[in-house]
Amino acid sequence: MVIPNHFCEGDQGLEGPAQQRRWTSLGVLFAILLLALVVRYATAWYLRPVPTSDFKIYWDIAMGLAEGRGYVIGGVPSAFRPIGYPLLLSLVIRLFGPHWWYAVLVQVLMSTAIVAATYWFTRRLFGTSAGLAAAALTALMPDHVLWSTVLNSEIPAILCTLLAVTLWIPARPASALPFPSVWVLLASGVLLGLASLTRPVMLPVPALYFFYAWLTTRTREGGQPGRPFWRPVAWRPVVAGTFVLTLGMVLVVGPWTVRNYVTLGALVPVSTNGGVNLWQGNNPNATGGFYWSDDPAVNPLLRVSDEVEQDRLGRRLALQWIREHPWDFLRLGFIKWGWLLTDVRTAVLFTLQQASRPIPPLLVPLSILILKMGLYSLLALTLAGIRMWWLAGRPGSSGRYLNRARTSVPVLFLAFMLALHFVFPGWDRFRFPFTPFMLALAGLAVTTWGRRRAAIGRVLPDGPGDAAPRSSARSW
């Protein structure tokens, strides 16, 4: 495989050809963003899915907030759903009026912004070409297009998370500051706090930063391997950086936690549905995917009306089942991964099957086929990207060394996704917030494959008698 000499170095200058390349890249990015916006708006305009299930609940809570009734469900103060997305929807209602179509347009804009954020994130890791490839893939990913047409909380959570995590990565690999500044980390923490108020699964992300910073301390200047794992490291910047990041999250999440304590009389950081979700994935009837029964004889959570007590009961029953059935828990964990990595049903269920207008009967099975093809292609490219990332970080490899620690963010988040959904149930909606990290690695794979093909084209002789010149590209 062949990589260019400027791989992972960013733009080294802005004079002459470098300036031209920069403007060309910006032009390509603008075209990709325009394509993403047009595709998303056209799909949303054609389908106009009516909010139902969770999405209707988000809208109802937002209406209560916009009308000054506070966060209530059924007239009772609640924290069952995370506050972040209903709060955002309430701002849309105050600005544009109480029609969900305006909120869908905001979703379309945020989904397009995710394309730009994916470019920025991938560019900082793997260079401009990989960033453009990742952005192009994101613009056309079928699940990203469909999810942009409904009122789901994943879209704003993805955007905030991507912006926050990109701030961890130095703008240039050779930066004199291996760690972000205090203010940058504080801003990252604030963004992660917003993401956590929307999707509480992001609450443990400071632990990922701690591990990422620790890995970064183990490489020498220039990206070469540093201290052995058993040697002590400079813990002060790692611990201090994690503290500042956590502080930024607390500044955002803390006021809502205080509200929950005052209103509900319990320490609830964000929402009270965590125990319910844990029980859904760990009970005698769990399938690994979505599970719920309306029969109180089968579902003990229905016997409790108070949401705080229901949350506690769900957590207690789930942990008890795990302790008493460890082998079933392990077996079910791999089944959850199967649902997580192959399911495409939810996107179709809440978009095409809730469309405001009649759609051709063949559109649903055709969309499922397209979603599966897109998903399996992304999984293959992600695995290829992980392989290339690992090989490029081997000490002594020919070609330019890729700082494996500095560029490990996508792999860390995918490992976090798998660990999380080995315990919690998995389906396509839970995979969706982590797809930008898969797309970043896919961008690396596509770019490296393209460079390899270009290098082969340069070194192959034009005819049987022509000599092949040496390639100026470096391989690994």
Side-chain angles (χ1 to χ4, degrees):
M1 300 178 184
V2 180
I3 56 174
N5 289 334
H6 62 272
F7 184 73
C8 280
E9 290 186 346
D11 297 325
Q12 298 299 322
L14 296 179
E15 299 180 358
Q19 174 82 6
Q20 184 177 357
R21 287 195 301 270
R22 180 175 183 269
W23 284 109
T24 300
S25 299
L26 290 176
V28 173
L29 177 61
F30 177 80
I32 291 172
L33 293 176
L34 182 61
L35 174 65
L37 180 62
V38 170
V39 170
R40 282 155 176 73
Y41 176 79
T43 305
W45 179 83
Y46 176 73
L47 294 177
R48 295 199 179 208
V50 178
T52 184
S53 185
D54 291 1
F55 314 121
K56 179 64 165 59
I57 295 173
Y58 289 142
W59 182 255
D60 291 341
I61 296 172
M63 288 293 295
L65 292 170
E67 294 170 359
R69 292 184 281 113
Y71 184 166
V72 293
I73 296 179
V76 179
S78 174
F80 188 75
R81 307 283 176 177
I83 180 62
Y85 189 55
L87 181 61
L88 174 62
L89 290 178
S90 72
L91 298 178
V92 175
I93 293 170
R94 290 176 182 271
L95 289 173
F96 303 108
H99 196 288
W100 51 264
W101 172 245
Y102 298 115
V104 170
L105 294 180
V106 173
Q107 290 284 101
V108 167
L109 292 176
M110 288 191 294
S111 181
T112 304
I114 287 173
V115 178
T118 302
Y119 164 78
W120 186 37
F121 173 70
T122 309
R123 181 185 179 276
R124 280 206 170 185
L125 289 172
F126 305 126
T128 301
S129 298
L132 291 174
L137 291 171
T138 308
L140 296 176
M141 275 300 294
D143 58 344
H144 276 254
V145 174
L146 284 182
W147 281 121
S148 67
T149 67
V150 291
L151 305 183
N152 67 86
S153 60
E154 285 79 9
I155 294 286
I158 291 173
L159 183 58
C160 290
T161 302
L162 266 181
L163 295 176
V165 173
T166 305
L167 294 176
W168 299 358
I169 308 163
R172 296 184 182 276
S175 172
L177 296 174
F179 298 102
S181 67
V182 170
W183 295 111
V184 170
L185 278 176
L186 191 65
S188 177
V190 168
L191 288 167
L192 286 173
L194 294 173
S196 299
L197 284 180
T198 309
R199 302 292 297 178
V201 295
M202 296 303 169
L203 285 172
V205 167
L208 289 183
Y209 175 78
F210 180 89
F211 188 65
Y212 171 71
W214 176 76
L215 286 176
T216 305
T217 63
R218 314 207 68 81
T219 55
R220 296 193 191 105
E221 184 177 357
Q224 296 300 325
R227 303 176 181 86
F229 279 95
W230 58 84
R231 292 289 183 86
V233 298
W235 288 107
R236 182 176 179 180
V238 176
V239 175
T242 306
F243 173 80
V244 173
L245 185 75
T246 306
L247 176 63
M249 294 182 67
V250 170
L251 291 176
V252 176
V253 177
W256 182 248
T257 305
V258 172
R259 177 266 181 193
N260 289 340
Y261 185 80
V262 172
T263 303
L264 304 177
L267 183 61
V268 178
V270 177
S271 61
T272 59
N273 61 357
V276 175
N277 290 329
L278 184 64
W279 177 84
Q280 283 183 305
N282 302 278
N283 68 79
N285 301 304
T287 63
F290 177 80
Y291 169 77
W292 188 255
S293 173
D294 293 324
D295 182 1
V298 178
N299 185 349
L301 302 188
L302 295 177
R303 305 168 198 167
V304 180
S305 58
D306 182 79
E307 65 182 58
V308 173
E309 291 304 318
Q310 188 182 66
D311 179 56
R312 292 171 177 168
L313 177 62
R315 186 179 299 108
R316 184 169 66 251
L317 292 176
L319 294 177
Q320 178 182 344
W321 183 85
I322 292 172
R323 288 193 302 269
E324 295 175 355
H325 304 85
W327 294 112
D328 289 335
F329 168 71
L330 293 175
R331 176 186 59 82
L332 194 59
F334 292 104
I335 295 176
K336 293 170 185 173
W337 282 359
W339 283 109
L340 180 70
L341 298 176
T342 63
D343 186 36
V344 297
R345 302 168 304 160
T346 311
V348 173
L349 174 63
F350 291 113
T351 55
L352 282 86
Q353 294 181 334
Q354 306 299 329
S356 298
R357 66 176 72 197
I359 61 174
L362 290 178
L363 188 56
V364 170
L366 179 61
S367 298
I368 292 176
L369 177 62
I370 293 173
L371 283 165
K372 285 186 175 291
M373 291 174 59
L375 173 59
Y376 296 150
S377 299
L378 178 59
L379 290 173
L381 288 172
T382 301
L383 291 175
I386 292 175
R387 177 179 179 272
M388 294 168 184
W389 165 79
W390 183 262
L391 292 177
R394 291 186 306 179
S397 61
S398 60
R400 189 168 300 278
Y401 185 84
L402 172 61
N403 189 326
R404 193 184 287 166
R406 174 187 168 271
T407 55
S408 63
V409 177
V411 178
L412 292 178
F413 268 85
L414 293 182
F416 171 54
M417 175 189 73
L418 292 175
L420 181 70
H421 291 289
F422 196 85
V423 180
F424 287 87
W427 58 87
D428 55 344
R429 189 179 169 195
F430 290 164
R431 178 185 66 244
F432 180 54
F434 294 93
T435 51
F437 303 105
M438 302 169 69
L439 287 158
L441 292 164
L444 171 62
V446 169
T447 303
T448 306
W449 182 81
R451 296 286 181 181
R452 181 191 180 198
R453 298 288 297 177
I456 292 175
R458 286 196 299 271
V459 301
L460 286 178
D462 294 331
D466 295 331
R470 294 179 179 268
S471 170
S472 60
R474 300 186 181 187
S475 60
W476 44 276

